[in-house]
Structure formats: C-alpha cells, structure tokens
Amino acid sequence: YRIGIVSTKYRDVVELGLNVCGMRDDVELVLGGNEYDKPKPDKQGIIRACQLMNVSHDDCIYVGDTHTDVLAAIHAGAYAVAYMSNPKREEELKKVKPNRLITDLAELDDILKEDHAWSYNMR
C-alpha cells in the first residue's frame, strides 16, 4: 500500500520521527503543516497530498487520532478512520461520525481488504 502523511507538525519533525523509527522508506509522501495554508479540519492538506500522490480522494483511507483529523478526511471525501489512541477521546471521535473507529492499528488490515464504495456522503 502507498502511504502518505499529512501532519500539522512541520515536515522535518515528522521525517525525524520516521527516520528514528526506521520507517522513512515506508512512507511515500510527508506533507507538513508548514506546506499548506488551512489547518485541519480543513481538507486542503489531504487534497494536496492526494494530488501529489496522483490518487483520488475517494481512493484514500485517512487515519487520524483527533476529531480534526476525522473532519478533514470527511471534508476531503476520503474514508475516515478514527484511531482511538487515548480512551478519553472516544466520545469526541464518535461525535464526528468517522466511517470506522479502531483501537488497534492492526485493524487496518481488515479495512484495507474490504470493498468500499467511498464517497463524500458515505457514513
């Protein structure tokens, strides 16, 4: 699978983390918050990443751990997966109605195998 990251952090910070973890070669694109004008929950960063990766927003699964991540994915028309890394955020994440809510990143394996007819209105 192709992986891109859209972060509110600056690109060099994200890339440092990827390098430290030995994961930089696994990620095709890193788009830092200093590379787009409107922060999440605006869709601009996700749409820009899709353009740079030459993929359609409706072929994109966006995984985020905050309500602004989920809203950005919904606004972009991507399949929005909320990753609940902190149980205190559960209600906040459910409130924005992601397509899926997961508590373990291993759950992405099943989501990637599913056949989705993704669209802006799918929820």
Side-chain angles (χ1 to χ4, degrees), residues 26-70:
D26 298 325
V27 177
E28 181 176 334
L29 173 80
V30 175
L31 191 62
N34 55 318
E35 298 176 285
Y36 55 95
D37 298 325
K38 297 178 182 176
K40 300 174 213 169
D42 193 89
K43 64 184 178 180
Q44 186 184 68
I46 296 172
I47 296 297
R48 181 71 181 133
C50 288
Q51 291 169 340
L52 291 169
M53 294 177 73
N54 198 31
V55 297
S56 175
H57 62 88
D58 54 2
D59 287 330
C60 173
I61 296 174
Y62 190 83
V63 181
D65 66 345
T66 67
H67 74 284
T68 55
D69 289 327
V70 173

CSV table of all heavy atoms in Angstrom, one decimal, residues 26-70:
chain,number,residue,atom,x,y,z
A,26,ASP,N,9.2,3.6,4.1
A,26,ASP,CA,7.8,3.1,4.0
A,26,ASP,C,6.8,4.1,3.6
A,26,ASP,O,5.7,3.8,3.3
A,26,ASP,CB,7.4,2.4,5.3
A,26,ASP,CG,8.3,1.3,5.7
A,26,ASP,OD1,8.8,0.5,4.9
A,26,ASP,OD2,8.5,1.1,7.0
A,27,VAL,N,7.2,5.4,3.7
A,27,VAL,CA,6.3,6.5,3.5
A,27,VAL,C,6.6,7.2,2.2
A,27,VAL,O,7.7,7.7,2.1
A,27,VAL,CB,6.3,7.4,4.7
A,27,VAL,CG1,5.3,8.6,4.5
A,27,VAL,CG2,5.8,6.7,6.0
A,28,GLU,N,5.7,7.3,1.3
A,28,GLU,CA,5.9,7.9,0.0
A,28,GLU,C,5.9,9.4,0.1
A,28,GLU,O,6.7,10.1,-0.6
A,28,GLU,CB,4.8,7.5,-0.9
A,28,GLU,CG,4.9,8.0,-2.3
A,28,GLU,CD,3.9,7.5,-3.2
A,28,GLU,OE1,3.4,6.4,-3.0
A,28,GLU,OE2,3.5,8.2,-4.2
A,29,LEU,N,5.1,10.0,1.0
A,29,LEU,CA,4.9,11.4,1.0
A,29,LEU,C,4.7,11.9,2.4
A,29,LEU,O,4.0,11.3,3.2
A,29,LEU,CB,3.7,11.9,0.2
A,29,LEU,CG,3.3,13.3,0.3
A,29,LEU,CD1,4.2,14.2,-0.6
A,29,LEU,CD2,1.9,13.6,-0.1
A,30,VAL,N,5.4,13.0,2.8
A,30,VAL,CA,5.2,13.7,4.1
A,30,VAL,C,4.8,15.1,3.7
A,30,VAL,O,5.6,15.8,3.0
A,30,VAL,CB,6.4,13.6,5.0
A,30,VAL,CG1,6.1,14.4,6.3
A,30,VAL,CG2,6.8,12.2,5.4
A,31,LEU,N,3.7,15.5,4.2
A,31,LEU,CA,3.2,16.9,4.0
A,31,LEU,C,3.1,17.5,5.3
A,31,LEU,O,2.2,17.2,6.1
A,31,LEU,CB,1.9,16.9,3.2
A,31,LEU,CG,1.4,18.3,2.6
A,31,LEU,CD1,2.4,18.8,1.6
A,31,LEU,CD2,0.1,18.1,2.0
A,32,GLY,N,3.9,18.5,5.6
A,32,GLY,CA,3.9,19.1,6.9
A,32,GLY,C,3.0,20.3,7.0
A,32,GLY,O,2.6,20.9,5.9
A,33,GLY,N,2.6,20.7,8.2
A,33,GLY,CA,1.7,21.8,8.4
A,33,GLY,C,2.2,23.1,7.8
A,33,GLY,O,1.4,24.0,7.5
A,34,ASN,N,3.5,23.2,7.6
A,34,ASN,CA,4.0,24.5,7.0
A,34,ASN,C,4.0,24.4,5.5
A,34,ASN,O,4.4,25.4,4.8
A,34,ASN,CB,5.5,24.6,7.5
A,34,ASN,CG,6.4,23.4,7.2
A,34,ASN,OD1,5.9,22.3,7.3
A,34,ASN,ND2,7.6,23.7,6.7
A,35,GLU,N,3.4,23.4,4.9
A,35,GLU,CA,3.3,23.3,3.5
A,35,GLU,C,1.9,23.4,2.9
A,35,GLU,O,1.7,23.2,1.7
A,35,GLU,CB,3.9,21.9,3.0
A,35,GLU,CG,5.3,21.8,3.4
A,35,GLU,CD,5.9,20.4,3.1
A,35,GLU,OE1,5.6,19.5,3.8
A,35,GLU,OE2,6.6,20.3,2.1
A,36,TYR,N,0.9,23.8,3.8
A,36,TYR,CA,-0.4,24.1,3.3
A,36,TYR,C,-1.0,25.2,4.2
A,36,TYR,O,-0.5,25.3,5.4
A,36,TYR,CB,-1.3,22.9,3.2
A,36,TYR,CG,-1.4,22.0,4.5
A,36,TYR,CD1,-2.5,22.2,5.4
A,36,TYR,CD2,-0.5,21.0,4.8
A,36,TYR,CE1,-2.6,21.5,6.5
A,36,TYR,CE2,-0.6,20.3,5.9
A,36,TYR,CZ,-1.6,20.5,6.8
A,36,TYR,OH,-1.7,19.8,7.9
A,37,ASP,N,-1.9,26.0,3.7
A,37,ASP,CA,-2.3,27.2,4.4
A,37,ASP,C,-3.4,27.0,5.4
A,37,ASP,O,-3.4,27.6,6.5
A,37,ASP,CB,-2.9,28.2,3.4
A,37,ASP,CG,-1.8,28.6,2.4
A,37,ASP,OD1,-0.7,28.8,2.8
A,37,ASP,OD2,-2.2,28.8,1.2
A,38,LYS,N,-4.4,26.1,5.2
A,38,LYS,CA,-5.5,25.9,6.1
A,38,LYS,C,-5.3,24.6,6.9
A,38,LYS,O,-5.3,23.5,6.3
A,38,LYS,CB,-6.8,25.9,5.2
A,38,LYS,CG,-7.1,27.2,4.5
A,38,LYS,CD,-8.3,27.1,3.7
A,38,LYS,CE,-8.6,28.3,2.9
A,38,LYS,NZ,-9.7,28.2,2.0
A,39,PRO,N,-5.3,24.8,8.2
A,39,PRO,CA,-5.1,23.6,9.0
A,39,PRO,C,-6.3,22.7,9.1
A,39,PRO,O,-7.4,23.2,8.8
A,39,PRO,CB,-4.7,24.2,10.4
A,39,PRO,CG,-5.3,25.5,10.4
A,39,PRO,CD,-5.3,26.0,9.0
A,40,LYS,N,-6.1,21.5,9.5
A,40,LYS,CA,-7.3,20.6,9.8
A,40,LYS,C,-8.2,21.3,10.8
A,40,LYS,O,-7.6,21.9,11.7
A,40,LYS,CB,-6.8,19.3,10.3
A,40,LYS,CG,-5.9,18.5,9.4
A,40,LYS,CD,-5.4,17.3,10.0
A,40,LYS,CE,-4.0,16.9,9.6
A,40,LYS,NZ,-3.4,15.9,10.4
A,41,PRO,N,-9.5,21.2,10.7
A,41,PRO,CA,-10.3,20.3,9.9
A,41,PRO,C,-10.5,20.6,8.5
A,41,PRO,O,-11.3,20.0,7.8
A,41,PRO,CB,-11.6,20.3,10.7
A,41,PRO,CG,-11.7,21.7,11.2
A,41,PRO,CD,-10.3,22.1,11.6
A,42,ASP,N,-9.8,21.6,7.9
A,42,ASP,CA,-9.9,21.9,6.5
A,42,ASP,C,-9.3,20.8,5.7
A,42,ASP,O,-8.4,20.1,6.2
A,42,ASP,CB,-9.2,23.2,6.2
A,42,ASP,CG,-9.5,23.7,4.8
A,42,ASP,OD1,-10.5,24.5,4.7
A,42,ASP,OD2,-8.9,23.3,3.8
A,43,LYS,N,-9.9,20.5,4.5
A,43,LYS,CA,-9.5,19.4,3.7
A,43,LYS,C,-8.2,19.7,2.9
A,43,LYS,O,-7.7,18.8,2.3
A,43,LYS,CB,-10.6,19.1,2.7
A,43,LYS,CG,-10.9,20.2,1.8
A,43,LYS,CD,-12.1,19.8,0.9
A,43,LYS,CE,-12.5,21.0,-0.1
A,43,LYS,NZ,-13.6,20.6,-0.9
A,44,GLN,N,-7.7,20.9,2.9
A,44,GLN,CA,-6.6,21.3,2.0
A,44,GLN,C,-5.4,20.4,2.0
A,44,GLN,O,-4.9,20.0,1.0
A,44,GLN,CB,-6.2,22.7,2.3
A,44,GLN,CG,-5.2,23.3,1.3
A,44,GLN,CD,-4.7,24.7,1.7
A,44,GLN,OE1,-4.0,24.8,2.6
A,44,GLN,NE2,-5.1,25.7,0.9
A,45,GLY,N,-4.9,20.0,3.2
A,45,GLY,CA,-3.8,19.2,3.3
A,45,GLY,C,-4.0,17.8,2.7
A,45,GLY,O,-3.1,17.3,1.9
A,46,ILE,N,-5.1,17.2,2.9
A,46,ILE,CA,-5.4,15.9,2.3
A,46,ILE,C,-5.6,15.9,0.8
A,46,ILE,O,-5.0,15.1,0.1
A,46,ILE,CB,-6.7,15.3,3.0
A,46,ILE,CG1,-6.4,15.0,4.5
A,46,ILE,CG2,-7.1,14.0,2.3
A,46,ILE,CD1,-7.6,14.6,5.3
A,47,ILE,N,-6.3,16.9,0.4
A,47,ILE,CA,-6.4,17.1,-1.1
A,47,ILE,C,-5.1,17.3,-1.8
A,47,ILE,O,-4.8,16.7,-2.8
A,47,ILE,CB,-7.4,18.3,-1.4
A,47,ILE,CG1,-8.8,17.9,-0.9
A,47,ILE,CG2,-7.4,18.6,-2.9
A,47,ILE,CD1,-9.5,16.7,-1.5
A,48,ARG,N,-4.2,18.1,-1.2
A,48,ARG,CA,-2.9,18.4,-1.7
A,48,ARG,C,-2.1,17.1,-1.7
A,48,ARG,O,-1.4,16.8,-2.7
A,48,ARG,CB,-2.2,19.5,-0.9
A,48,ARG,CG,-0.8,19.8,-1.4
A,48,ARG,CD,-0.9,20.6,-2.7
A,48,ARG,NE,0.5,20.8,-3.2
A,48,ARG,CZ,0.9,20.6,-4.4
A,48,ARG,NH1,0.1,20.2,-5.3
A,48,ARG,NH2,2.1,20.9,-4.7
A,49,ALA,N,-2.1,16.3,-0.7
A,49,ALA,CA,-1.4,15.1,-0.6
A,49,ALA,C,-1.9,14.1,-1.7
A,49,ALA,O,-1.1,13.5,-2.4
A,49,ALA,CB,-1.5,14.4,0.7
A,50,CYS,N,-3.2,14.0,-1.9
A,50,CYS,CA,-3.8,13.2,-3.0
A,50,CYS,C,-3.3,13.6,-4.3
A,50,CYS,O,-2.9,12.8,-5.2
A,50,CYS,CB,-5.3,13.2,-2.9
A,50,CYS,SG,-6.0,12.3,-1.5
A,51,GLN,N,-3.2,15.0,-4.6
A,51,GLN,CA,-2.7,15.5,-5.8
A,51,GLN,C,-1.3,15.1,-6.1
A,51,GLN,O,-0.9,14.6,-7.1
A,51,GLN,CB,-2.9,17.0,-5.9
A,51,GLN,CG,-4.3,17.5,-6.0
A,51,GLN,CD,-4.4,19.0,-5.8
A,51,GLN,OE1,-3.6,19.6,-5.2
A,51,GLN,NE2,-5.6,19.5,-6.2
A,52,LEU,N,-0.5,15.3,-5.0
A,52,LEU,CA,1.0,15.0,-5.1
A,52,LEU,C,1.2,13.5,-5.4
A,52,LEU,O,2.2,13.1,-6.0
A,52,LEU,CB,1.7,15.5,-3.9
A,52,LEU,CG,1.8,17.0,-3.8
A,52,LEU,CD1,2.3,17.4,-2.4
A,52,LEU,CD2,2.7,17.6,-4.9
A,53,MET,N,0.3,12.6,-4.8
A,53,MET,CA,0.5,11.2,-5.0
A,53,MET,C,-0.3,10.7,-6.2
A,53,MET,O,-0.2,9.5,-6.5
A,53,MET,CB,0.0,10.5,-3.7
A,53,MET,CG,0.9,10.8,-2.5
A,53,MET,SD,0.3,10.0,-1.0
A,53,MET,CE,0.7,8.3,-1.3
A,54,ASN,N,-1.0,11.6,-6.9
A,54,ASN,CA,-1.8,11.2,-8.1
A,54,ASN,C,-2.8,10.2,-7.8
A,54,ASN,O,-2.9,9.2,-8.5
A,54,ASN,CB,-0.8,10.8,-9.2
A,54,ASN,CG,-1.6,10.9,-10.6
A,54,ASN,OD1,-2.4,11.7,-10.7
A,54,ASN,ND2,-1.2,10.0,-11.5
A,55,VAL,N,-3.6,10.4,-6.7
A,55,VAL,CA,-4.7,9.5,-6.4
A,55,VAL,C,-5.9,10.3,-6.1
A,55,VAL,O,-5.8,11.5,-5.7
A,55,VAL,CB,-4.4,8.6,-5.1
A,55,VAL,CG1,-3.2,7.7,-5.4
A,55,VAL,CG2,-4.1,9.4,-3.9
A,56,SER,N,-7.1,9.7,-6.2
A,56,SER,CA,-8.3,10.4,-6.0
A,56,SER,C,-8.6,10.4,-4.5
A,56,SER,O,-8.3,9.4,-3.8
A,56,SER,CB,-9.4,9.8,-6.8
A,56,SER,OG,-10.7,10.3,-6.4
A,57,HIS,N,-9.3,11.4,-4.0
A,57,HIS,CA,-9.6,11.5,-2.6
A,57,HIS,C,-10.5,10.3,-2.2
A,57,HIS,O,-10.5,9.8,-1.1
A,57,HIS,CB,-10.4,12.8,-2.3
A,57,HIS,CG,-11.6,12.9,-3.0
A,57,HIS,ND1,-12.8,12.5,-2.6
A,57,HIS,CD2,-11.9,13.5,-4.2
A,57,HIS,CE1,-13.8,12.7,-3.5
A,57,HIS,NE2,-13.2,13.4,-4.5
A,58,ASP,N,-11.3,9.8,-3.1
A,58,ASP,CA,-12.2,8.7,-2.8
A,58,ASP,C,-11.5,7.3,-2.9
A,58,ASP,O,-12.1,6.3,-2.7
A,58,ASP,CB,-13.5,8.7,-3.6
A,58,ASP,CG,-13.3,8.8,-5.1
A,58,ASP,OD1,-12.2,8.8,-5.6
A,58,ASP,OD2,-14.3,8.8,-5.8
A,59,ASP,N,-10.2,7.3,-3.2
A,59,ASP,CA,-9.4,6.1,-3.1
A,59,ASP,C,-8.5,6.2,-1.9
A,59,ASP,O,-7.5,5.4,-1.8
A,59,ASP,CB,-8.5,6.0,-4.4
A,59,ASP,CG,-9.3,5.5,-5.6
A,59,ASP,OD1,-10.4,4.8,-5.4
A,59,ASP,OD2,-9.0,5.9,-6.7
A,60,CYS,N,-8.7,7.1,-1.0
A,60,CYS,CA,-7.9,7.3,0.1
A,60,CYS,C,-8.5,6.9,1.4
A,60,CYS,O,-9.7,7.2,1.7
A,60,CYS,CB,-7.6,8.9,0.1
A,60,CYS,SG,-6.7,9.4,1.6
A,61,ILE,N,-7.8,6.2,2.2
A,61,ILE,CA,-8.2,6.0,3.6
A,61,ILE,C,-7.3,6.9,4.5
A,61,ILE,O,-6.1,6.8,4.4
A,61,ILE,CB,-7.9,4.5,4.0
A,61,ILE,CG1,-8.8,3.5,3.2
A,61,ILE,CG2,-8.2,4.3,5.5
A,61,ILE,CD1,-8.5,2.1,3.4
A,62,TYR,N,-8.0,7.7,5.2
A,62,TYR,CA,-7.2,8.7,6.1
A,62,TYR,C,-7.4,8.2,7.5
A,62,TYR,O,-8.6,8.1,8.0
A,62,TYR,CB,-7.7,10.1,5.9
A,62,TYR,CG,-6.8,11.1,6.6
A,62,TYR,CD1,-5.6,11.5,6.0
A,62,TYR,CD2,-7.1,11.6,7.8
A,62,TYR,CE1,-4.8,12.4,6.6
A,62,TYR,CE2,-6.3,12.4,8.5
A,62,TYR,CZ,-5.1,12.9,7.9
A,62,TYR,OH,-4.3,13.8,8.5
A,63,VAL,N,-6.3,8.0,8.2
A,63,VAL,CA,-6.4,7.6,9.6
A,63,VAL,C,-5.9,8.7,10.5
A,63,VAL,O,-4.8,9.3,10.2
A,63,VAL,CB,-5.5,6.3,9.8
A,63,VAL,CG1,-5.5,5.9,11.3
A,63,VAL,CG2,-5.8,5.2,8.9
A,64,GLY,N,-6.7,9.1,11.5
A,64,GLY,CA,-6.3,10.1,12.4
A,64,GLY,C,-6.7,9.9,13.8
A,64,GLY,O,-7.7,9.1,14.0
A,65,ASP,N,-6.1,10.5,14.7
A,65,ASP,CA,-6.4,10.2,16.1
A,65,ASP,C,-7.1,11.4,16.8
A,65,ASP,O,-7.2,11.4,18.1
A,65,ASP,CB,-5.2,9.8,16.9
A,65,ASP,CG,-4.1,10.8,17.0
A,65,ASP,OD1,-4.2,11.8,16.3
A,65,ASP,OD2,-3.2,10.6,17.9
A,66,THR,N,-7.5,12.4,16.1
A,66,THR,CA,-8.2,13.6,16.7
A,66,THR,C,-9.5,13.8,15.8
A,66,THR,O,-9.6,13.4,14.7
A,66,THR,CB,-7.3,14.9,16.7
A,66,THR,OG1,-7.1,15.3,15.3
A,66,THR,CG2,-6.0,14.6,17.4
A,67,HIS,N,-10.4,14.6,16.5
A,67,HIS,CA,-11.6,14.9,15.7
A,67,HIS,C,-11.3,15.8,14.5
A,67,HIS,O,-12.0,15.7,13.5
A,67,HIS,CB,-12.7,15.5,16.7
A,67,HIS,CG,-12.4,16.9,17.1
A,67,HIS,ND1,-11.4,17.3,18.0
A,67,HIS,CD2,-12.9,18.1,16.6
A,67,HIS,CE1,-11.4,18.6,18.1
A,67,HIS,NE2,-12.3,19.1,17.3
A,68,THR,N,-10.3,16.6,14.6
A,68,THR,CA,-10.0,17.5,13.4
A,68,THR,C,-9.4,16.6,12.3
A,68,THR,O,-9.7,17.0,11.1
A,68,THR,CB,-9.0,18.6,13.8
A,68,THR,OG1,-7.8,18.0,14.4
A,68,THR,CG2,-9.6,19.6,14.8
A,69,ASP,N,-8.7,15.6,12.6
A,69,ASP,CA,-8.3,14.6,11.5
A,69,ASP,C,-9.5,14.0,10.8
A,69,ASP,O,-9.5,14.0,9.6
A,69,ASP,CB,-7.4,13.5,12.1
A,69,ASP,CG,-6.0,13.9,12.6
A,69,ASP,OD1,-5.5,14.9,12.0
A,69,ASP,OD2,-5.6,13.3,13.6
A,70,VAL,N,-10.4,13.5,11.6
A,70,VAL,CA,-11.6,12.9,11.0
A,70,VAL,C,-12.4,13.9,10.2
A,70,VAL,O,-12.8,13.5,9.1
A,70,VAL,CB,-12.4,12.2,12.2
A,70,VAL,CG1,-13.8,11.7,11.6
A,70,VAL,CG2,-11.7,11.1,12.9
